[in-house]
Amino acid sequence: MEITLHFFFNLSLIIIVLFFCMLWIGMSNKLQSFKNTAIAFSIVSIIVCFIFNYRLFEEFVIDLRIIPIMVGGLYAGIGPIVGLLTIILRGLYGFNIGYFATSIFIIVISLIFWRIFPWFLKLSARQRIIFFTGMTFIVSFFPPLFMDIYQKDNLGFDIYFAYLLLQPIGALIISITIEITCKTVKLHQHLVKAERLEVVEKMAAAISHEIRNPLTSAIGFVQLMQDETISKDKSDQYLSILKSELFSAEKVIRNFLTLSKPELPTVETLNVNSELQFVINKLQPAATRSLVSIQTKWTESVWIHGDRQSFHQCFINIIKNSIEAMENGGTVTVEVESTSTNIDIRVQDTGKGMTQEQIEHLGEPYYSTKGEMGTGLGVMVAFNIVRAMKGKINIKSEIGKGTSFEFSFPIEEQQREKASSYNN
């Protein structure tokens, strides 16, 4: 069983090469790279087979070269190329009857594989596996048969077992591995596409939901203003509400533009304490209505680079969410600390808190802890603004105890000098 053992060793090496090739396809998750990988597998495997071949007689060198030739011919459509490579490599072992017989045999099967390659790929995965294995079994008849006739001697059970059983089994294993890998990549691509479509659908629903409400109100007040009997005071009141609703619609559109293009409109030096105080003053009425007190903890003035309007929008969204997280009232604490390299801003509430799973999903399109009442756009916008300002966000939360949003923005030495000169 020496030939069988050597074929086992040959097959093991081919499977190792296949493993790395399939690993590459799996990591890239692109079927476009499959053909190039199949070509690389065929070439490397043929070289490996010739390096670790078995010399049966002076004229005959045997190995499992048929398997990579079939992979290259049927899966990659490069039958003539791998055939030519095989003939060249076989020539390194001498030009004898075995070389010429091998050359004729390889030319014939390479051309056949090249011709049926388009038809082969149109088959189902199951049909390809059966055809690939069956074709390997048929092709495997010829080498031992020719050697038997040429030597006019019985070569024994060993060589027929190796060619007619081990080689088709190896072809079956390799074909199944290729098909499973391709199916896995296709499923991954389908899943990614489905997720993208879902995001688009949810974003479209968010746009429709958010803009429809103010526009519906605006249309209603326009219709009321068309009544010639209404007084001037009523008309002014309706006009004011109409303007407010249109501003709401414009704000929603601005949020979506921020998502798609998070660049800062302008970059200026911002006094963090002053800007945060402005945000707090703006949100104070909403906090009072919700029985929420807003406390601040900061001392010296600190400065960062950023866009004032975007900075306001970011912390309005975050602090507003903190207020809404405390249905029965509570406290929002806004702290500012500075180090030699960073400005740290912490917004902490005493609300209902979030699970780790909810934290991991924050910032995803249309994900909100408010259920149907929220769209998740506020947090997404805040995250994009922080990234545009080269900042980082860390979120800590505990159910029943509250949530802490920790922001870290880089500070430059030039800004410190400017702040110092400004204070003096």
Side-chain angles (χ1 to χ4, degrees):
M1 301 293 286
E2 185 177 355
I3 297 175
T4 301
L5 290 175
H6 191 85
F7 271 39
F8 261 119
F9 177 66
N10 232 199
L11 180 60
S12 300
L13 295 176
I14 292 175
I15 290 176
I16 291 173
V17 175
L18 179 69
F19 169 77
F20 285 106
C21 290
M22 295 300 103
L23 185 64
W24 173 258
I25 293 176
M27 291 175 62
S28 64
N29 279 319
K30 294 180 180 178
L31 283 178
Q32 291 86 342
S33 64
F34 173 78
K35 184 174 182 179
N36 293 333
T37 308
I39 293 172
F41 167 77
S42 301
I43 294 173
V44 174
S45 297
I46 289 172
I47 295 173
V48 168
C49 287
F50 273 104
I51 292 175
F52 299 96
N53 60 57
Y54 184 87
R55 199 151 195 140
L56 185 60
F57 303 112
E58 184 64 27
E59 299 89 349
F60 299 111
V61 177
I62 61 175
D63 48 54
L64 292 179
R65 73 191 74 158
I66 291 299
I67 293 178
I69 289 174
M70 291 189 61
V71 171
L74 293 177
Y75 279 100
I78 57 167
I81 296 176
V82 292
L84 179 61
L85 176 64
T86 304
I87 293 171
I88 293 173
L89 292 175
R90 178 59 182 85
L92 299 177
Y93 294 88
F95 297 94
N96 45 42
I97 184 65
Y99 170 78
F100 292 109
T102 298
S103 299
I104 295 172
F105 177 67
I106 293 300
I107 289 172
V108 172
I109 63 173
S110 296
L111 291 175
I112 292 175
F113 295 155
W114 180 58
R115 293 291 296 176
I116 66 176
F117 158 69
W119 169 82
F120 176 78
L121 291 184
K122 292 179 182 179
L123 300 175
S124 65
R126 182 187 181 91
Q127 290 172 333
R128 283 196 295 267
I129 292 172
I130 294 173
F131 182 84
F132 190 88
T133 308
M135 182 62 72
T136 305
F137 181 78
I138 293 172
V139 171
S140 298
F141 263 109
F142 295 99
L145 184 63
F146 176 78
M147 288 183 281
D148 215 354
I149 295 172
Y150 178 77
Q151 291 294 323
K152 297 180 181 179
D153 187 20
N154 184 13
L155 296 178
F157 172 77
D158 191 11
I159 190 169
Y160 281 100
F161 180 84
Y163 268 101
L164 299 181
L165 185 62
L166 188 58
Q167 190 159 259
I169 289 176
L172 176 65
I173 294 171
I174 289 171
S175 181
I176 291 175
T177 304
I178 291 173
E179 295 296 341
I180 290 176
T181 303
C182 291
K183 183 177 180 180
T184 302
V185 173
K186 286 181 180 178
L187 287 174
H188 179 269
Q189 291 180 338
H190 179 74
L191 180 61
V192 170
K193 185 177 180 180
E195 288 177 348
R196 288 175 179 172
L197 288 174
E198 184 180 5
V199 168
V200 171
E201 291 173 358
K202 289 183 176 180
M203 292 297 285
I207 295 172
S208 174
H209 171 74
E210 289 293 305
I211 295 182
R212 184 189 295 119
N213 290 339
L215 288 185
T216 301
S217 298
I219 292 171
F221 283 105
V222 168
Q223 291 174 342
L224 289 174
M225 292 176 64
Q226 290 176 336
D227 187 354
E228 298 178 354
T229 62
I230 63 172
S231 64
K232 181 69 167 57
D233 291 340
K234 280 288 184 182
S235 178
D236 292 341
Q237 181 183 357
Y238 292 163
L239 187 61
S240 176
I241 297 174
L242 173 62
K243 185 178 179 181
S244 174
E245 293 297 329
L246 291 177
F247 273 134
S248 297
E250 191 270 338
K251 181 181 178 182
V252 172
I253 295 172
R254 189 171 64 248
N255 282 345
F256 278 99
L257 290 176
T258 304
L259 292 178
S260 61
K261 190 177 180 181
E263 296 89 4
L264 300 177
T266 59
V267 177
E268 53 190 313
T269 302
L270 304 177
N271 184 319
V272 174
N273 297 352
S274 298
E275 303 305 331
L276 286 175
Q277 189 61 56
F278 174 84
V279 170
I280 292 170
N281 292 340
K282 192 170 184 178
L283 291 174
Q284 193 62 58
T288 302
R289 287 195 300 270
S290 301
L291 303 178
V292 173
S293 65
I294 303 178
Q295 299 179 357
T296 59
K297 293 183 180 180
W298 58 64
T299 52
E300 61 178 7
S301 296
V302 289
W303 304 72
I304 61 173
H305 274 326
D307 175 69
R308 178 173 279 103
Q309 184 177 358
S310 298
F311 186 86
H312 291 170
Q313 187 178 7
C314 170
F315 284 95
I316 284 175
N317 292 345
I318 296 299
I319 297 176
K320 183 171 178 288
N321 281 352
S322 296
I323 294 172
E324 292 173 351
M326 295 176 285
E327 299 174 352
N328 300 318
T331 303
V332 175
T333 304
V334 182
E335 300 180 58
V336 179
E337 296 178 352
S338 63
T339 65
S340 59
T341 56
N342 296 313
I343 298 295
D344 298 323
I345 304 173
R346 183 181 298 106
V347 178
Q348 187 167 359
D349 64 57
T350 56
K352 55 187 177 182
M354 294 182 290
T355 64
Q356 186 59 38
E357 182 181 0
Q358 288 175 318
I359 293 175
E360 291 173 357
H361 286 294
L362 282 180
E364 292 182 2
Y366 209 72
Y367 179 81
S368 174
T369 57
K370 304 174 188 177
E372 296 181 357
M373 298 296 295
T375 63
L377 295 179
V379 177
M380 286 183 66
V381 168
F383 280 22
N384 277 7
I385 291 172
V386 172
R387 281 193 289 268
M389 293 178 63
K390 301 179 182 179
K392 297 179 181 179
I393 303 176
N394 184 35
I395 304 171
K396 298 178 182 178
S397 187
E398 190 174 345
I399 295 295
K401 293 187 177 181
T403 302
S404 173
F405 284 82
E406 299 175 359
F407 302 84
S408 180
F409 298 97
I411 184 173
E412 300 178 7
E413 188 63 30
Q414 295 177 352
Q415 297 177 40
R416 286 187 174 276
E417 293 175 0
K418 185 173 182 179
S420 178
S421 62
Y422 181 85
N423 290 332
N424 292 332

